[in-house]
Coordinates of all heavy atoms in Angstrom, one line a residue:
M17 N 111.9 -136.4 13.2 CA 113.1 -135.6 12.8 C 114.3 -136.1 13.6 O 114.2 -136.6 14.8 CB 112.8 -134.2 13.3 CG 113.9 -133.1 13.0 SD 113.4 -131.4 13.3 CE 114.9 -130.6 12.8
S18 N 115.5 -136.0 13.0 CA 116.7 -136.5 13.6 C 117.0 -135.7 14.9 O 116.8 -134.4 14.8 CB 117.8 -136.5 12.6 OG 119.1 -136.9 13.2
C19 N 117.4 -136.3 16.0 CA 117.7 -135.6 17.2 C 118.9 -134.7 17.0 O 120.0 -135.1 16.6 CB 118.0 -136.6 18.2 SG 118.3 -135.9 19.9
V20 N 118.7 -133.4 17.4 CA 119.8 -132.4 17.2 C 120.8 -132.5 18.3 O 121.9 -131.9 18.2 CB 119.3 -130.9 17.1 CG1 118.4 -130.8 15.9 CG2 118.5 -130.5 18.4
F21 N 120.5 -133.2 19.4 CA 121.3 -133.1 20.6 C 122.4 -134.3 20.5 O 123.5 -134.2 20.9 CB 120.5 -133.3 21.8 CG 119.6 -132.2 22.0 CD1 118.3 -132.4 21.7 CD2 120.1 -130.9 22.4 CE1 117.5 -131.2 21.8 CE2 119.2 -129.9 22.6 CZ 117.8 -130.0 22.3
C22 N 122.0 -135.4 19.9 CA 123.0 -136.5 19.6 C 123.2 -136.8 18.1 O 123.9 -137.7 17.9 CB 122.4 -137.8 20.3 SG 120.9 -138.4 19.5
V23 N 122.8 -135.9 17.3 CA 123.0 -136.0 15.9 C 122.5 -137.3 15.4 O 123.0 -137.9 14.5 CB 124.3 -135.7 15.4 CG1 124.5 -135.2 14.0 CG2 125.0 -134.5 16.3
G24 N 121.4 -137.8 15.9 CA 120.8 -139.0 15.5 C 121.5 -140.3 15.9 O 121.1 -141.5 15.5
K25 N 122.5 -140.2 16.7 CA 123.3 -141.3 17.2 C 122.7 -142.1 18.4 O 123.0 -143.2 18.6 CB 124.8 -140.9 17.5 CG 125.5 -140.4 16.4 CD 126.9 -140.0 16.8 CE 127.7 -139.5 15.6 NZ 129.0 -138.8 16.0
G26 N 121.8 -141.4 19.2 CA 121.2 -142.0 20.3 C 122.1 -141.9 21.6 O 121.6 -142.3 22.7
S27 N 123.2 -141.3 21.5 CA 124.1 -141.1 22.7 C 124.9 -140.0 22.6 O 125.3 -139.4 21.5 CB 125.0 -142.5 22.9 OG 125.9 -142.5 21.9
V28 N 125.2 -139.4 23.8 CA 126.1 -138.2 23.8 C 127.2 -138.5 24.9 O 126.9 -138.9 26.0 CB 125.2 -137.0 24.4 CG1 126.1 -135.7 24.5 CG2 124.0 -136.7 23.5
N29 N 128.4 -138.4 24.5 CA 129.6 -138.8 25.2 C 129.5 -140.1 25.9 O 129.8 -140.3 27.2 CB 129.7 -137.7 26.3 CG 130.1 -136.3 25.7 OD1 130.7 -136.3 24.6 ND2 129.6 -135.3 26.3
G30 N 129.0 -141.0 25.2 CA 128.9 -142.5 25.7 C 127.6 -142.8 26.5 O 127.3 -143.9 26.9
A31 N 126.8 -141.7 26.9 CA 125.7 -141.9 27.6 C 124.5 -141.8 26.8 O 124.4 -141.0 25.8 CB 125.6 -140.9 28.7
L32 N 123.3 -142.5 27.1 CA 122.1 -142.5 26.4 C 121.7 -141.0 26.3 O 121.6 -140.3 27.3 CB 121.1 -143.3 27.2 CG 119.8 -143.7 26.4 CD1 120.1 -144.8 25.3 CD2 118.8 -144.3 27.3
C33 N 121.3 -140.6 25.1 CA 120.7 -139.2 24.9 C 119.4 -139.2 25.6 O 118.5 -139.8 25.5 CB 120.5 -138.9 23.4 SG 119.7 -137.4 23.1
R34 N 119.3 -138.2 26.6 CA 118.0 -138.1 27.4 C 116.8 -137.4 26.7 O 115.8 -137.5 27.1 CB 118.4 -137.3 28.8 CG 118.8 -136.0 28.6 CD 119.0 -135.3 30.0 NE 117.9 -135.0 30.6 CZ 117.7 -133.9 31.3 NH1 118.6 -133.1 31.6 NH2 116.5 -133.7 31.9
T35 N 117.2 -136.7 25.6 CA 116.1 -136.0 24.9 C 115.3 -137.1 24.0 O 114.2 -137.1 24.0 CB 116.7 -134.9 24.0 OG1 117.4 -134.0 24.8 CG2 115.6 -134.2 23.2
C36 N 116.1 -137.9 23.2 CA 115.4 -138.8 22.3 C 115.4 -140.3 23.0 O 114.8 -141.1 22.3 CB 116.1 -138.9 20.9 SG 117.8 -139.6 21.0
K37 N 116.0 -140.4 24.1 CA 116.1 -141.6 24.9 C 116.7 -142.8 24.1 O 116.3 -143.9 24.2 CB 114.6 -142.0 25.4 CG 114.0 -141.0 26.4 CD 112.7 -141.5 26.8 CE 112.1 -140.6 27.9 NZ 112.1 -139.2 27.5
G38 N 117.7 -142.4 23.3 CA 118.5 -143.4 22.6 C 118.0 -143.7 21.3 O 118.6 -144.5 20.5
S39 N 116.8 -143.2 20.8 CA 116.3 -143.6 19.4 C 117.0 -142.8 18.3 O 117.0 -143.3 17.2 CB 114.7 -143.4 19.4 OG 114.5 -142.0 19.5
G40 N 117.5 -141.7 18.6 CA 118.1 -140.8 17.6 C 117.0 -140.0 16.9 O 117.4 -139.2 15.9
W41 N 115.8 -140.1 17.3 CA 114.6 -139.4 16.7 C 113.8 -138.6 17.6 O 113.6 -139.0 18.7 CB 113.7 -140.4 15.8 CG 114.4 -141.1 14.8 CD1 115.0 -142.3 14.8 CD2 114.6 -140.6 13.4 NE1 115.6 -142.6 13.6 CE2 115.3 -141.6 12.7 CE3 114.2 -139.4 12.8 CZ2 115.7 -141.4 11.4 CZ3 114.6 -139.3 11.4 CH2 115.3 -140.2 10.8
I42 N 113.2 -137.5 17.2 CA 112.3 -136.8 18.1 C 111.1 -136.5 17.2 O 111.0 -136.1 16.1 CB 113.0 -135.4 18.3 CG1 114.2 -135.5 19.2 CG2 112.0 -134.6 19.2 CD1 114.9 -134.2 19.5
E43 N 109.9 -136.9 17.9 CA 108.7 -136.7 17.2 C 108.2 -135.2 17.5 O 108.2 -134.7 18.6 CB 107.6 -137.6 17.9 CG 106.3 -137.5 17.3 CD 105.3 -138.4 18.0 OE1 105.2 -139.6 17.5 OE2 104.6 -138.1 18.9
I44 N 108.0 -134.5 16.4 CA 107.5 -133.1 16.5 C 106.0 -133.0 16.1 O 105.4 -132.0 16.3 CB 108.4 -132.1 15.8 CG1 108.4 -132.5 14.1 CG2 109.8 -132.1 16.4 CD1 109.0 -131.4 13.5
G45 N 105.5 -133.9 15.4 CA 104.1 -133.9 15.0 C 103.5 -135.2 15.2 O 103.5 -136.1 14.3
G46 N 102.9 -135.5 16.3 CA 102.2 -136.7 16.6 C 100.8 -136.9 15.9 O 100.2 -135.9 15.7
A47 N 100.5 -138.2 15.7 CA 99.2 -138.4 15.0 C 98.9 -139.9 15.3 O 99.7 -140.7 15.6 CB 99.2 -138.2 13.6
G48 N 97.5 -140.1 15.3 CA 97.0 -141.5 15.5 C 95.6 -141.6 15.6 O 94.8 -140.6 15.7
M49 N 95.1 -142.8 15.8 CA 93.6 -143.1 15.9 C 93.2 -142.8 17.3 O 94.0 -143.0 18.2 CB 93.4 -144.6 15.6 CG 93.7 -144.9 14.2 SD 92.9 -144.0 12.9 CE 91.1 -144.5 13.2
V50 N 92.0 -142.3 17.4 CA 91.5 -142.0 18.8 C 91.0 -143.2 19.4 O 90.3 -144.1 18.8 CB 90.2 -141.0 18.7 CG1 89.6 -140.8 20.0 CG2 90.6 -139.8 18.0
D51 N 91.4 -143.4 20.7 CA 91.0 -144.6 21.5 C 89.4 -144.7 21.6 O 88.9 -143.7 21.9 CB 91.5 -144.5 22.9 CG 91.3 -145.8 23.6 OD1 90.3 -146.3 23.6 OD2 92.3 -146.2 24.3
P52 N 88.7 -145.8 21.2 CA 87.3 -145.9 21.3 C 86.7 -145.5 22.6 O 85.5 -145.0 22.8 CB 87.0 -147.3 21.0 CG 88.2 -147.8 20.2 CD 89.4 -147.0 20.7
T53 N 87.5 -145.7 23.7 CA 87.1 -145.3 25.0 C 86.7 -143.8 25.1 O 85.8 -143.5 25.9 CB 88.1 -145.7 26.1 OG1 88.5 -147.0 25.9 CG2 87.6 -145.5 27.5
V54 N 87.5 -143.0 24.4 CA 87.2 -141.6 24.5 C 85.8 -141.3 23.9 O 85.2 -140.3 24.5 CB 88.3 -140.8 23.6 CG1 88.0 -139.4 23.5 CG2 89.7 -141.0 24.2
F55 N 85.4 -141.9 23.0 CA 84.0 -141.7 22.4 C 83.0 -142.1 23.3 O 81.9 -141.4 23.5 CB 83.8 -142.6 21.1 CG 84.6 -142.0 19.9 CD1 85.6 -142.9 19.4 CD2 84.5 -140.7 19.4 CE1 86.4 -142.4 18.3 CE2 85.2 -140.3 18.3 CZ 86.1 -141.1 17.8
G56 N 83.3 -143.0 24.2 CA 82.3 -143.4 25.3 C 82.0 -142.3 26.2 O 80.9 -142.1 26.8
H57 N 83.1 -141.5 26.5 CA 83.0 -140.4 27.5 C 82.2 -139.2 27.0 O 81.7 -138.3 27.8 CB 84.4 -139.9 27.9 CG 85.2 -140.9 28.8 ND1 84.8 -141.3 30.0 CD2 86.3 -141.7 28.5 CE1 85.6 -142.2 30.4 NE2 86.6 -142.4 29.5
V58 N 82.1 -139.1 25.6 CA 81.3 -138.1 25.1 C 79.9 -138.5 24.4 O 79.4 -137.8 23.6 CB 82.1 -137.2 24.2 CG1 83.1 -136.4 24.8 CG2 82.8 -138.1 23.0
D59 N 79.6 -139.7 24.8 CA 78.3 -140.3 24.3 C 78.3 -140.5 22.8 O 77.2 -140.3 22.2 CB 77.1 -139.6 24.9 CG 76.9 -139.7 26.3 OD1 77.3 -140.7 26.9 OD2 76.4 -138.7 27.0
Y60 N 79.4 -140.8 22.1 CA 79.4 -141.2 20.8 C 79.5 -142.7 20.6 O 80.2 -143.3 21.6 CB 80.6 -140.6 20.0 CG 80.5 -139.1 19.6 CD1 79.4 -138.4 20.1 CD2 81.4 -138.5 18.8 CE1 79.4 -137.0 19.7 CE2 81.3 -137.1 18.6 CZ 80.2 -136.4 19.0 OH 80.2 -135.0 18.7
D61 N 78.8 -143.3 19.7 CA 78.8 -144.7 19.6 C 80.2 -145.2 19.0 O 80.4 -144.9 17.7 CB 77.7 -145.2 18.8 CG 77.6 -146.7 18.5 OD1 78.5 -147.4 19.1 OD2 76.6 -147.1 17.9
S62 N 81.1 -145.8 19.8 CA 82.4 -146.2 19.1 C 82.3 -147.3 18.2 O 83.3 -147.6 17.4 CB 83.3 -146.5 20.3 OG 82.9 -147.6 21.0
E63 N 81.1 -147.9 18.0 CA 81.0 -149.0 17.0 C 80.6 -148.3 15.7 O 80.8 -148.9 14.6 CB 79.8 -149.9 17.4 CG 80.1 -150.8 18.7 CD 81.1 -151.8 18.4 OE1 81.3 -152.3 17.3 OE2 82.1 -151.9 19.3
R64 N 80.1 -147.1 15.7 CA 79.8 -146.4 14.5 C 80.8 -145.4 14.0 O 81.0 -145.1 12.9 CB 78.4 -145.7 14.7 CG 77.8 -144.9 13.5 CD 76.5 -144.4 13.8 NE 76.0 -143.8 12.6 CZ 75.0 -143.0 12.5 NH1 74.2 -142.9 13.6 NH2 74.5 -142.5 11.4
Y65 N 81.5 -144.7 15.1 CA 82.4 -143.7 14.6 C 83.8 -144.1 15.1 O 84.2 -144.7 16.0 CB 82.0 -142.4 15.4 CG 80.8 -141.9 15.1 CD1 79.6 -142.0 16.1 CD2 80.6 -141.2 13.9 CE1 78.4 -141.4 15.7 CE2 79.2 -140.6 13.7 CZ 78.2 -140.8 14.5 OH 77.0 -140.3 14.2
T66 N 84.8 -143.5 14.3 CA 86.2 -143.7 14.6 C 86.7 -142.3 14.4 O 86.1 -141.3 13.9 CB 86.9 -144.6 13.5 OG1 86.8 -144.1 12.2 CG2 86.4 -145.9 13.6
G67 N 88.0 -142.1 14.9 CA 88.5 -140.8 14.8 C 90.0 -140.8 14.6 O 90.7 -141.8 14.9
F68 N 90.5 -139.7 14.0 CA 92.0 -139.5 13.9 C 92.4 -138.2 14.4 O 91.7 -137.2 14.1 CB 92.2 -139.6 12.3 CG 93.7 -139.6 11.9 CD1 94.5 -140.6 12.0 CD2 94.3 -138.3 11.5 CE1 95.8 -140.6 11.7 CE2 95.6 -138.2 11.1 CZ 96.4 -139.4 11.2
A69 N 93.4 -138.2 15.2 CA 93.9 -136.9 15.8 C 95.3 -136.7 15.5 O 96.1 -137.6 15.2 CB 93.8 -137.1 17.3
F70 N 95.6 -135.4 15.3 CA 97.1 -135.0 15.1 C 97.4 -133.6 15.8 O 96.4 -132.9 16.1 CB 97.1 -134.9 13.5 CG 96.3 -133.9 12.9 CD1 96.8 -132.6 12.6 CD2 95.1 -134.3 12.5 CE1 96.0 -131.7 11.9 CE2 94.3 -133.4 11.8 CZ 94.7 -132.1 11.5
G71 N 98.6 -133.3 15.9 CA 99.0 -132.0 16.4 C 100.5 -131.8 16.4 O 101.2 -132.7 16.1
M72 N 100.8 -130.7 16.6 CA 102.3 -130.3 16.6 C 102.5 -129.3 17.7 O 101.7 -128.3 18.0 CB 102.7 -129.5 15.3 CG 104.1 -129.2 15.2 SD 104.6 -128.3 13.8 CE 104.4 -129.5 12.6
G73 N 103.5 -129.6 18.5 CA 103.9 -128.7 19.8 C 104.8 -127.7 19.4 O 105.9 -128.0 18.9
I74 N 104.4 -126.5 19.5 CA 105.3 -125.3 19.2 C 106.6 -125.4 20.1 O 107.7 -125.0 19.7 CB 104.7 -124.0 19.4 CG1 105.5 -122.9 18.8 CG2 104.4 -123.6 20.8 CD1 105.4 -122.9 17.2
E75 N 106.6 -126.0 21.3 CA 107.6 -126.1 22.2 C 108.7 -127.0 21.6 O 110.0 -126.8 21.8 CB 107.3 -126.7 23.6 CG 106.2 -125.9 24.2 CD 104.7 -126.4 23.9 OE1 104.7 -127.3 22.9 OE2 103.7 -126.0 24.4
R76 N 108.2 -128.1 20.9 CA 109.3 -129.0 20.3 C 110.0 -128.2 19.1 O 111.3 -128.5 19.1 CB 108.4 -130.1 19.6 CG 107.9 -131.1 20.6 CD 108.9 -132.0 21.0 NE 108.4 -132.9 22.0 CZ 108.9 -134.0 22.4 NH1 110.0 -134.5 21.9 NH2 108.4 -134.8 23.3
M77 N 109.4 -127.4 18.4 CA 110.1 -126.7 17.4 C 111.1 -125.6 18.1 O 112.2 -125.6 17.5 CB 109.0 -125.8 16.5 CG 108.0 -126.6 15.9 SD 108.7 -127.9 14.7 CE 108.9 -126.8 13.3
A78 N 110.7 -125.0 19.1 CA 111.6 -124.2 19.8 C 112.8 -125.0 20.4 O 113.9 -124.4 20.5 CB 110.8 -123.4 20.9
M79 N 112.5 -126.2 20.9 CA 113.6 -127.0 21.5 C 114.7 -127.3 20.4 O 115.9 -127.1 20.7 CB 113.1 -128.4 21.9 CG 112.4 -128.5 23.3 SD 111.9 -130.1 23.6 CE 113.6 -131.0 23.9
L80 N 114.2 -127.6 19.2 CA 115.2 -127.9 18.2 C 115.9 -126.6 17.6 O 117.1 -126.7 17.3 CB 114.4 -128.6 17.1 CG 113.8 -129.9 17.4 CD1 112.8 -130.5 16.3 CD2 114.8 -130.9 17.9
R81 N 115.1 -125.5 17.6 CA 115.7 -124.4 17.0 C 116.8 -123.7 18.0 O 117.9 -123.3 17.5 CB 114.6 -123.3 16.8 CG 115.0 -121.9 16.4 CD 115.7 -121.8 15.1 NE 116.1 -120.5 14.8 CZ 117.2 -119.9 15.2 NH1 118.1 -120.5 15.9 NH2 117.5 -118.7 14.9
Y82 N 116.5 -123.8 19.4 CA 117.3 -123.1 20.3 C 118.1 -124.2 21.0 O 118.9 -123.8 22.0 CB 116.6 -122.3 21.2 CG 115.9 -121.2 20.5 CD1 114.5 -121.1 20.3 CD2 116.7 -120.1 20.0 CE1 114.0 -120.1 19.6 CE2 116.1 -119.0 19.3 CZ 114.8 -119.0 19.1 OH 114.2 -118.0 18.4
R83 N 118.1 -125.5 20.7 CA 118.9 -126.6 21.4 C 118.6 -126.6 22.9 O 119.5 -126.6 23.7 CB 120.3 -126.4 21.0 CG 120.6 -126.4 19.4 CD 122.0 -126.4 19.1 NE 122.8 -127.6 19.6 CZ 123.0 -128.8 19.1 NH1 122.3 -128.9 17.9 NH2 123.7 -129.6 19.7
V84 N 117.3 -126.5 23.2 CA 116.9 -126.7 24.6 C 116.7 -128.1 24.9 O 115.9 -128.8 24.1 CB 115.7 -125.9 25.0 CG1 115.2 -126.1 26.4 CG2 116.0 -124.4 24.7
N85 N 117.5 -128.8 25.7 CA 117.3 -130.2 25.9 C 116.3 -130.8 26.9 O 116.2 -132.0 27.0 CB 118.7 -130.9 26.1 CG 119.2 -130.4 27.6 OD1 118.6 -129.7 28.2 ND2 120.4 -130.9 27.9
D86 N 115.6 -129.9 27.5 CA 114.5 -130.3 28.3 C 113.2 -129.5 28.2 O 113.2 -128.3 28.5 CB 115.0 -130.2 29.9 CG 114.0 -130.9 30.8 OD1 112.9 -131.2 30.5 OD2 114.5 -131.0 32.0
I87 N 112.2 -130.1 27.6 CA 110.9 -129.4 27.4 C 110.3 -128.8 28.7 O 109.6 -127.8 28.5 CB 109.9 -130.3 26.6 CG1 109.0 -129.5 25.8 CG2 109.3 -131.3 27.6 CD1 108.2 -130.3 24.8
K88 N 110.5 -129.3 29.8 CA 110.0 -128.8 31.0 C 110.4 -127.4 31.3 O 109.6 -126.6 32.0 CB 110.3 -129.7 32.2 CG 109.7 -131.0 32.1 CD 110.1 -131.8 33.4 CE 110.8 -133.1 33.0 NZ 111.4 -133.8 34.1
L89 N 111.4 -126.9 30.8 CA 112.0 -125.6 31.0 C 111.0 -124.5 30.4 O 110.9 -123.4 30.9 CB 113.4 -125.3 30.3 CG 114.5 -126.1 31.0 CD1 115.7 -126.1 30.2 CD2 114.8 -125.6 32.4
F90 N 110.2 -124.9 29.4 CA 109.3 -124.0 28.8 C 108.1 -123.7 29.7 O 107.4 -122.8 29.6 CB 108.8 -124.4 27.5 CG 109.8 -124.4 26.4 CD1 110.5 -125.6 26.0 CD2 110.1 -123.3 25.7 CE1 111.5 -125.5 25.1 CE2 111.1 -123.2 24.7 CZ 111.7 -124.3 24.3
Y91 N 107.8 -124.7 30.6 CA 106.6 -124.5 31.6 C 106.9 -124.0 32.9 O 106.0 -123.9 33.7 CB 106.0 -125.9 31.5 CG 105.6 -126.4 30.3 CD1 106.2 -127.6 29.7 CD2 104.6 -125.8 29.5 CE1 105.9 -128.1 28.6 CE2 104.4 -126.4 28.2 CZ 104.9 -127.5 27.7 OH 104.6 -127.9 26.5
E92 N 108.2 -123.8 33.3 CA 108.5 -123.5 34.6 C 108.3 -121.9 34.9 O 108.3 -121.6 36.1 CB 110.0 -123.8 34.9 CG 110.2 -125.2 35.0 CD 111.7 -125.8 35.2 OE1 112.6 -124.8 35.0 OE2 111.9 -126.9 35.5
G93 N 108.2 -121.2 33.9 CA 107.9 -119.8 34.1 C 109.1 -118.9 34.6 O 109.0 -117.8 35.2
D94 N 110.3 -119.5 34.5 CA 111.5 -118.7 34.9 C 111.9 -117.7 33.9 O 112.2 -118.0 32.8 CB 112.6 -119.8 35.1 CG 113.9 -119.2 35.8 OD1 114.1 -117.9 35.7 OD2 114.6 -119.9 36.4
V95 N 111.9 -116.4 34.3 CA 112.1 -115.3 33.4 C 113.5 -115.4 32.9 O 113.8 -114.9 31.8 CB 111.6 -113.9 34.0 CG1 112.7 -113.6 35.1 CG2 111.5 -112.9 33.0
R96 N 114.5 -115.9 33.6 CA 115.8 -116.0 33.3 C 116.0 -116.9 32.0 O 116.8 -116.6 31.1 CB 116.7 -116.5 34.4 CG 116.8 -115.6 35.6 CD 117.4 -116.2 36.7 NE 116.7 -117.3 37.1 CZ 117.0 -118.2 38.1 NH1 118.1 -118.0 38.8 NH2 116.2 -119.2 38.5
F97 N 115.2 -117.9 31.9 CA 115.2 -118.9 30.9 C 114.7 -118.1 29.6 O 115.2 -118.1 28.6 CB 114.3 -120.1 31.2 CG 114.1 -121.0 30.0 CD1 115.1 -121.8 29.5 CD2 112.8 -121.0 29.3 CE1 115.0 -122.6 28.4 CE2 112.7 -121.9 28.2 CZ 113.8 -122.6 27.7
V98 N 113.5 -117.4 29.7 CA 113.0 -116.7 28.6 C 113.9 -115.6 28.0 O 114.0 -115.4 26.8 CB 111.6 -116.1 29.0 CG1 111.0 -115.4 27.8 CG2 110.7 -117.3 29.4
R99 N 114.5 -114.8 28.9 CA 115.3 -113.7 28.5 C 116.5 -114.1 27.7 O 117.0 -113.3 26.9 CB 115.8 -112.8 29.7 CG 114.7 -112.1 30.3 CD 115.1 -111.1 31.4 NE 114.1 -110.3 31.8 CZ 114.0 -109.9 33.1 NH1 114.8 -110.2 34.0 NH2 112.9 -109.1 33.4
Q100 N 116.9 -115.3 27.8 CA 118.2 -115.7 27.0 C 117.9 -115.7 25.5 O 118.8 -115.9 24.6 CB 118.8 -117.1 27.4 CG 117.8 -118.2 27.1 CD 118.5 -119.5 27.6 OE1 119.6 -119.8 27.3 NE2 117.6 -120.3 28.3
F101 N 116.5 -115.6 25.1 CA 116.1 -115.7 23.7 C 115.8 -114.3 23.0 O 115.1 -114.3 22.1 CB 115.1 -116.7 23.5 CG 115.2 -118.0 24.0 CD1 114.5 -118.5 25.2 CD2 116.2 -118.8 23.4 CE1 114.8 -119.7 25.7 CE2 116.4 -120.1 23.9 CZ 115.7 -120.6 25.1
R102 N 116.4 -113.4 23.5 CA 116.2 -112.0 23.0 C 116.6 -111.9 21.5 O 117.6 -112.5 21.2 CB 116.8 -110.9 23.8 CG 116.2 -110.8 25.1 CD 116.9 -109.7 25.9 NE 116.7 -109.8 27.2 CZ 117.0 -108.9 28.2 NH1 117.7 -107.8 27.8 NH2 116.6 -109.0 29.4
Ligands
LIG316 ZN1 119.1 -137.7 20.9

């Protein structure tokens, strides 16, 4: 998705956009192949099995909806932060 903080430009007021790190894009739904090493940890034969994983972070959607530029704010537990979204 295009970065809502720099409008896809990669910079804000001449500085590198810290949310998208200059790419102009934000990943909201990651996906990819599972590293074969992971199968070794759960005693699956990585020569026989492969895996595909995907997911979507609800925090990312909230970041874009409410224009919160630092995802860490969602995990700090500061009630003042939460109350602004009434
Ligand atoms: Zn950006």
Side-chain angles (χ1 to χ4, degrees):
M17 182 170 183
S18 181
C19 179
V20 296
F21 301 101
C22 65
V23 199
K25 294 178 182 171
S27 63
V28 179
N29 298 327
L32 195 72
C33 177
R34 63 182 284 219
T35 304
C36 68
K37 297 179 176 54
S39 71
W41 294 95
I42 299 176
E43 182 179 272
I44 60 169
M49 298 301 293
V50 176
D51 188 318
T53 308
V54 174
F55 290 117
H57 291 295
V58 291
D59 293 329
Y60 283 7
D61 182 0
S62 63
E63 294 294 319
R64 183 172 180 190
Y65 298 104
T66 59
F68 184 78
F70 59 94
M72 180 185 291
I74 193 74
E75 306 88 354
R76 291 279 177 162
M77 301 297 280
M79 274 181 81
L80 300 172
R81 170 68 177 85
Y82 296 107
R83 301 180 63 83
V84 175
N85 65 358
D86 189 345
I87 200 165
K88 289 183 241 170
L89 291 167
F90 290 100
Y91 303 111
E92 290 178 344
D94 188 332
V95 73
R96 295 170 298 179
F97 173 72
V98 176
R99 283 190 176 143
Q100 71 179 308
F101 303 113
R102 290 181 197 188

